């Protein structure tokens, strides 16, 4: 019997290594977390026209995200109701209908079953086609271009689920008129690691930066678009102007505040528009990295959003997109995507550093003896407070309060009856 309370003890600052390798834990995660939480599916800019679609995943379930012929965005399990074949094997495109290549059942881009070979001759017109459409994702909604879905029809609204976290996402996805767009395609790669190592790192692990990322910092891997004043980020040092924040539902982020943009940089040039659009506090706020529970990340400093899909206790598929302001010039977009590829693309310098940590931690923690021991989450313990300017629970950088908030949420949903 799986006792979640014995695995996660945030009040003691400990987490069991078992949760990263146990098949029973993993199967309950698929049922309780990925089949119930709001999960990122796509950006609206990927499906701007009626009939546009992209493939996505919700846990291990393949889904199609479609803007139907009427312009409404929906999502459906990408599996035929007859024998389970994927009804679409393309990653993206435009279609009025999807035909299963196994037996030929055809579905409209609204998910309805519209064609069955032999409907008159073999089914004698007795098949109730209205009951055999594609299985819809129970709720689909978007926040400023970010499309999310949940299989739970009783889940709280997306707006409520994101809660105060929206305050911190806006400086990337909605800092200019017109919002944000995906610039370029999606990068995908598979890592031999447990998905939670990615979540807990990107939710706000500033502690690893001076050690793990010392090499790319020393060679000057700076953001040439969102520049800060020279010397703001010195290799091997924490940023004294930063803080971490966790919000309801296990979300968290680390940020820099009160920033002054370098003369001539893109963000310095648009700062007036940002102040008008976001207000003075957020116009000079620099979100570094954050996670919407369980597996969606905004990496503001590196112009990317990403999601990771579980593929087993020790395998994860990571998808990454470059994101930019719709109103940005082609020159800015080109420079921004170049920096994204240099740092957090599939072969990026920072990405390679992180991947090695996640992969090795997964492998080194799965042994019979290793699993008897706990991980420590004691950094800046009990150092949270409140702020008049910033919603949520505020803590210094570095701390592990965001990680503990993530695991509190993990334990909460994992403990619910299946």
């Amino acid at each position: 019997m799986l006792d979640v309370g014995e695995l996660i003890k945030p009040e003691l600052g400990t987490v069991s290594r078992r949760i990263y390798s146990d098949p029973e834990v993993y199967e309950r995660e698929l049922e309780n977390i990925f089949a119930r939480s709001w999960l990122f599916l796509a950006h609206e800019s990927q499906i701007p026209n009626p009939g546009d679609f992209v493939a996505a995943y919700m846990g291990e379930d393949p889904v199609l995200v479609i803007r139907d012929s009427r312009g409404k965005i929906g999502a459906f399990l990408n599996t035929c109701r007859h024998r389970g074949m994927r009804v679409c094997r393309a990653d993206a495109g435009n279609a009025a209908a999807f035909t299963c290549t196994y037996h030929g059942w055809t579905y409209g881009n609204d998910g309805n079953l519209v064609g069955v070979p032999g409907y008159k001759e073999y089914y004698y017109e007795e098949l109730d086609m209205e009951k055999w459409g594609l299985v819809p994702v129970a709720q689909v909604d978007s926040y400023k271009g970010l499309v999310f879905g949940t299989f739970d029809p009783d889940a709280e609204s997306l707006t409520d689920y994101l809660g105060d976290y929206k305050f911190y996402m806006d400086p990337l996805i909605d800092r200019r008129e017109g919002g944000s767009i995906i610039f370029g395609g999606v990068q995908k790669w598979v890592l031999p690691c447990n998905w939670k190592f990615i979540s807990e790192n990107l939710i706000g692990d500033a502690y690893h930066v001076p050690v793990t990322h010392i090499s790319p910092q020393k060679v000057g891997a700076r953001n040439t678009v969102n520049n800060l004043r020279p010397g703001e980020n010195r290799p091997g040092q924490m940023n004294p102007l930063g803080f971490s924040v966790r919000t309801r539902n296990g979300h968290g982020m680390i940020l820099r505040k009160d920033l002054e943009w370098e003369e001539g940089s893109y963000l310095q040039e648009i700062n007036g528009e940002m102040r008008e659009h976001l207000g003075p506090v957020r116009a000079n706020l620099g979100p570094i990295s954050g996670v919407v529970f369980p597996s969606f990340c905004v990496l503001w400093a590196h112009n990317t959003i990403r999601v990771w899909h579980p593929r087993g206790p020790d395998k994860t598929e990571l998808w990454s997109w470059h994101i930019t302001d719709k109103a940005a010039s082609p020159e800015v977009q080109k420079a921004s995507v170049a920096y994204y590829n240099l740092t957090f693309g599939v072969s990026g310098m920072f990405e390679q550093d992180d991947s090695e940590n996640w992969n090795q931690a997964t492998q080194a923690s799965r042994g019979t003896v290793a699993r008897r021991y706990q991980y420590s989450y004691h950094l800046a313990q009990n150092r949270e407070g409140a702020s008049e300017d910033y919603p949520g629970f505020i803590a210094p950088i570095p701390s592990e309060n965001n990680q503990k908030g993530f695991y509190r949420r993990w334990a909460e949903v994992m403990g619910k009856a299946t």
Side-chain angles (χ1 to χ4, degrees):
M1 182 71 177
L2 188 63
D3 187 347
V4 175
E6 288 299 310
L7 300 175
I8 305 292
K9 297 182 178 180
E11 70 283 358
L12 300 179
T14 62
V15 171
S16 170
R17 298 186 185 208
R18 180 185 167 192
I19 70 170
Y20 304 94
S21 60
D22 191 307
E24 184 182 359
V25 170
Y26 177 72
E27 289 301 321
R28 187 179 291 193
E29 287 177 335
L30 293 179
E31 181 67 39
N32 279 23
I33 294 177
F34 290 94
R36 294 183 177 182
S37 300
W38 281 96
L39 304 176
F40 176 75
L41 300 179
H43 193 282
E44 287 186 11
S45 64
Q46 296 176 270
I47 47 173
N49 304 307
D52 285 349
F53 69 88
V54 292
Y57 275 94
M58 298 177 71
E60 292 197 19
D61 285 299
V63 298
L64 284 174
V65 186
I66 309 169
R67 189 183 292 273
D68 68 23
S69 297
R70 297 171 298 170
K72 180 182 178 182
I73 296 176
F76 306 88
L77 282 180
N78 186 6
T79 175
C80 182
R81 295 293 303 279
H82 182 239
R83 288 296 182 273
M85 178 69 176
R86 289 177 191 256
V87 298
C88 180
R89 288 180 282 176
D91 289 336
N94 184 283
F98 302 90
T99 299
C100 174
T101 56
Y102 195 171
H103 295 97
W105 282 29
T106 298
Y107 303 86
N109 59 23
D110 58 1
N112 291 325
L113 180 62
V114 295
V116 174
Y119 178 71
K120 292 183 179 180
E121 300 88 344
Y122 313 138
Y123 284 95
Y124 307 101
E125 300 186 12
E126 294 174 353
L127 177 69
D128 188 349
M129 294 177 63
E130 291 186 2
K131 293 183 178 180
W132 291 96
L134 295 177
V135 176
V137 175
Q139 296 189 62
V140 176
D141 201 356
S142 62
Y143 176 72
K144 297 187 176 180
L146 303 177
V147 181
F148 290 79
T150 176
F151 284 117
D152 184 357
D154 299 319
E156 64 182 323
S157 70
L158 176 63
T159 296
D160 290 342
Y161 184 75
L162 294 174
D164 288 336
Y165 199 78
K166 300 190 295 289
F167 179 92
Y168 300 103
M169 287 203 300
D170 288 354
L172 173 62
I173 64 173
D174 189 35
R175 62 191 175 194
R176 298 191 67 182
E177 190 67 32
S180 58
I181 59 170
I182 295 297
F183 184 75
V186 57
Q187 298 186 22
K188 305 177 183 180
W189 61 99
V190 176
L191 297 170
C193 73
N194 184 273
W195 69 272
K196 293 183 291 300
F197 278 118
I198 306 177
S199 296
E200 71 152 56
N201 178 283
L202 294 175
I203 203 170
D205 185 347
Y207 191 43
H208 79 291
V209 175
V211 179
T212 294
H213 299 309
I214 185 65
S215 295
Q217 290 183 79
K218 280 188 172 181
V219 299
R222 281 189 76 192
N223 191 327
T224 57
V225 178
N226 299 347
N227 272 341
L228 305 179
R229 287 178 180 264
E232 181 74 40
N233 293 316
R234 293 185 293 276
Q237 294 188 5
M238 298 296 182
N239 192 308
L241 299 178
F243 66 95
S244 67
V245 58
R246 66 176 180 88
T247 63
R248 204 176 137 262
N249 289 327
H251 317 321
M253 184 177 284
I254 51 175
L255 309 98
R256 292 166 294 193
K257 62 179 181 178
D258 303 324
L259 296 175
E260 296 182 44
W261 309 113
E262 185 174 318
E263 190 70 27
S265 69
Y266 171 64
L267 292 187
Q268 190 269 337
E269 292 177 356
I270 68 167
N271 191 248
E273 183 178 348
M274 289 170 61
R275 293 177 70 86
E276 187 173 320
H277 203 63
L278 297 170
V281 173
R282 291 192 293 174
N284 292 80
L285 188 66
I288 300 172
S289 172
V291 167
V292 173
F293 183 92
S295 57
F296 172 69
C297 173
V298 172
L299 262 169
W300 176 93
H302 301 277
N303 316 110
T304 177
I305 59 174
R306 50 180 44 197
V307 66
W308 40 100
H309 307 294
R311 293 292 179 262
D314 58 0
K315 184 183 289 186
T316 305
E317 186 172 348
L318 200 153
W319 293 14
S320 177
W321 298 265
H322 171 260
I323 190 169
T324 187
D325 299 325
K326 184 177 182 179
S329 68
E331 292 76 21
V332 167
Q333 292 178 347
K334 184 177 179 180
S336 178
V337 77
Y339 179 71
Y340 153 67
N341 284 320
L342 175 69
T343 56
F344 276 97
V346 62
S347 60
M349 292 186 290
F350 290 91
E351 189 64 46
Q352 295 301 305
D353 291 341
D354 287 333
S355 295
E356 189 69 10
N357 288 340
W358 305 331
N359 301 346
Q360 293 295 327
T362 297
Q363 299 307 313
S365 298
R366 63 186 301 178
T368 300
V369 176
R371 281 184 295 161
R372 299 172 186 169
Y373 295 90
Q374 312 293 309
Y375 285 136
S376 164
Y377 290 82
H378 298 96
L379 187 63
Q381 186 160 286
N382 302 320
R383 295 295 189 276
E384 286 186 328
S387 168
E388 293 183 0
D389 292 327
Y390 306 106
F393 300 91
I394 309 300
I397 288 181
S399 78
E400 289 168 339
N401 291 290
N402 287 3
Q403 288 85 345
K404 287 193 289 187
F406 174 90
Y407 285 118
R408 286 191 191 97
R409 176 65 176 177
W410 183 92
E412 176 189 350
V413 296
M414 284 286 284
K416 292 181 180 178
T418 57

